[in-house]
């Protein structure tokens, strides 16, 4: 299927590992040049090398999007090194789990600093470039935003805010010609999920395969998601095949129906 992405320029935040890394590689495989950003230079260079091996351009920006002025600095680098912007994937950000009564104001502030305010600042800085090229913005939230639980108070709140913000941008995008959608991934195979699996193994004494099976059963899914599952959806949504998909928030959760 031709996706019409050859020659496009994409910026993927949090692209040193996990979903961001997979999204950057998937977009490059479809012909995009990619700006990679995160805080791990060695990991970003490894991803850039894979992209360049395909014949596409890759640029690296090592920064923390929580810092004042970081978003503007990143967009200036995109313009300088890649000449413009067609696709923004706002992926960076993680939040602390735990007992609500034990979570501090600093925990809440940190949770919103990158995944919410980082998204806001970067969307604002990138919007003129996206408007110029009638581009696309994808926000990565999380299914906790629609299915809140007591142990994920911060994350659920932040992800719900990300989805609401994306819907507001989509409304603006109808006038400015910018496509905006949000994806809520659920139990995806990342370092963070592995820590949860390991904790379950320690709690129950089960071997890894049985701990995984029990967790999948508890979440009402047949398997955990893969980062490529999310990357493939991102790639489709920003392609010429999905131009009528606008203002959507998609739960990518394997049909999750928790029973625990």
């Amino acid at each position: 299927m031709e996706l019409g992405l050859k020659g496009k320029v994409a910026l993927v935040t949090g692209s040193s590992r996990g979903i961001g890394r997979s999204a950057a590689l998937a977009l490059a495989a479809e012909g995009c040049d990619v700006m990679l950003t995160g805080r791990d230079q060695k990991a970003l260079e490894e991803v850039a090398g894979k992209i360049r091996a395909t014949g596409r351009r890759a640029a690296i920006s090592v920064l923390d999007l929580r810092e004042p002025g970081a978003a503007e600095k990143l967009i200036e680098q995109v313009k300088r090194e890649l000449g413009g912007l067609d696709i923004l994937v706002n992926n960076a950000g993680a939040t602390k789990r735990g007992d609500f009564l034990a979570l501090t104001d600093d925990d809440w502030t940190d949770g919103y600093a990158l995944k919410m305010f980082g998204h806001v600042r970067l969307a604002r800085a990138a919007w003129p470039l996206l408007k110029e090229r009638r581009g696309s913005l994808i926000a990565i939230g999380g299914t906790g935003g629609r299915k809140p639980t007591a142990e994920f108070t911060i994350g659920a709140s932040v992800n719900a805010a990300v989805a609401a913000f994306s819907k507001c941008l989509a409304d603006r995008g109808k006038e400015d010609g910018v496509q905006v959608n949000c994806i809520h991934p659920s139990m995806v195979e990342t370092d963070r999920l592995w820590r949860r699996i390991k904790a379950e193994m320690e709690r129950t004494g089960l071997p890894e395969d049985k701990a995984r099976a029990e967790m999948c059963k508890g979440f009402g899914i047949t398997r955990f998601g893969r980062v490529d599952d999310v990357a493939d959806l991102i790639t489709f949504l920003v392609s010429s095949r999905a131009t009528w998909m606008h203002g959507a928030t998609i739960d990518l959760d394997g049909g999750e129906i928790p029973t625990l």
Side-chain angles (χ1 to χ4, degrees):
M1 181 183 292
E2 174 55 52
L3 297 181
L5 292 175
K6 290 183 176 63
K8 302 286 187 181
V9 175
L11 164 58
V12 183
T13 68
S15 42
S16 61
R17 57 180 54 83
I19 291 171
R21 178 184 186 276
S22 187
L25 293 173
L27 289 165
E30 293 296 331
C32 292
D33 298 323
V34 186
M35 170 61 76
L36 306 165
T37 186
R39 290 176 284 174
D40 186 336
Q41 182 166 353
K42 183 178 179 181
L44 290 172
E45 288 174 349
E46 184 268 336
V47 181
K50 288 182 176 294
I51 291 173
R52 290 167 185 150
T54 70
R56 305 312 309 178
R57 294 182 296 166
I60 292 173
S61 182
V62 181
L63 49 71
D64 186 342
L65 285 167
R66 293 174 293 191
E67 298 296 327
E72 292 78 9
K73 178 181 177 182
L74 178 57
I75 294 303
E76 285 302 315
Q77 186 175 349
V78 172
K79 288 193 291 186
R80 184 172 64 252
E81 297 197 29
L82 298 178
L85 186 65
D86 300 282
I87 299 160
L88 170 59
V89 181
N90 259 334
N91 166 71
T95 54
K96 187 175 180 179
R97 306 181 74 89
D99 180 359
F100 167 66
L101 297 177
L103 295 168
T104 66
D105 283 355
D106 286 343
D107 293 331
W108 281 88
T109 298
D110 186 66
Y112 274 85
L114 180 55
K115 193 157 190 180
M116 180 59 191
F117 295 125
H119 283 208
V120 170
R121 295 187 188 106
L122 191 53
R124 184 170 57 215
W127 196 263
L129 298 186
L130 295 173
K131 180 179 177 180
E132 180 182 347
R133 295 195 179 185
R134 302 186 70 80
S136 298
L137 187 156
I138 299 289
I140 305 298
T143 54
R146 280 189 172 165
K147 295 174 281 190
T149 55
E151 75 278 4
F152 200 45
T153 312
I154 298 176
S157 302
V158 172
N159 290 331
V162 167
F165 173 62
S166 299
K167 190 68 171 180
C168 293
L169 283 185
D171 197 34
R172 169 77 184 237
K174 288 184 286 186
E175 178 181 343
D176 290 350
V178 179
Q179 179 195 36
V180 182
N181 290 292
C182 178
I183 300 172
H184 277 338
S186 184
M187 307 296 288
V188 177
E189 294 266 14
T190 62
D191 292 342
R192 193 175 188 190
L193 178 60
W194 167 243
R195 289 193 292 271
R196 293 185 67 181
I197 294 169
K198 187 176 180 182
E200 184 68 7
M201 291 165 61
E202 293 171 353
R203 185 184 71 83
T204 62
L206 292 172
E208 182 182 341
D209 60 339
K210 291 189 176 179
R212 284 174 173 270
E214 285 300 309
M215 289 179 71
C216 286
K217 181 179 178 181
F219 283 102
I221 54 179
T222 56
R223 66 169 174 86
F224 292 122
R226 296 183 291 266
V227 291
D228 290 350
D229 293 324
V230 188
D232 288 345
L233 179 57
I234 291 169
T235 304
F236 174 72
L237 287 176
V238 301
S239 78
S240 61
R241 298 282 182 161
T243 55
W244 203 44
M245 183 69 77
H246 184 73
T249 297
I250 302 170
D251 283 347
L252 188 60
D253 61 4
E256 182 178 331
I257 304 175
T259 57
L260 290 178

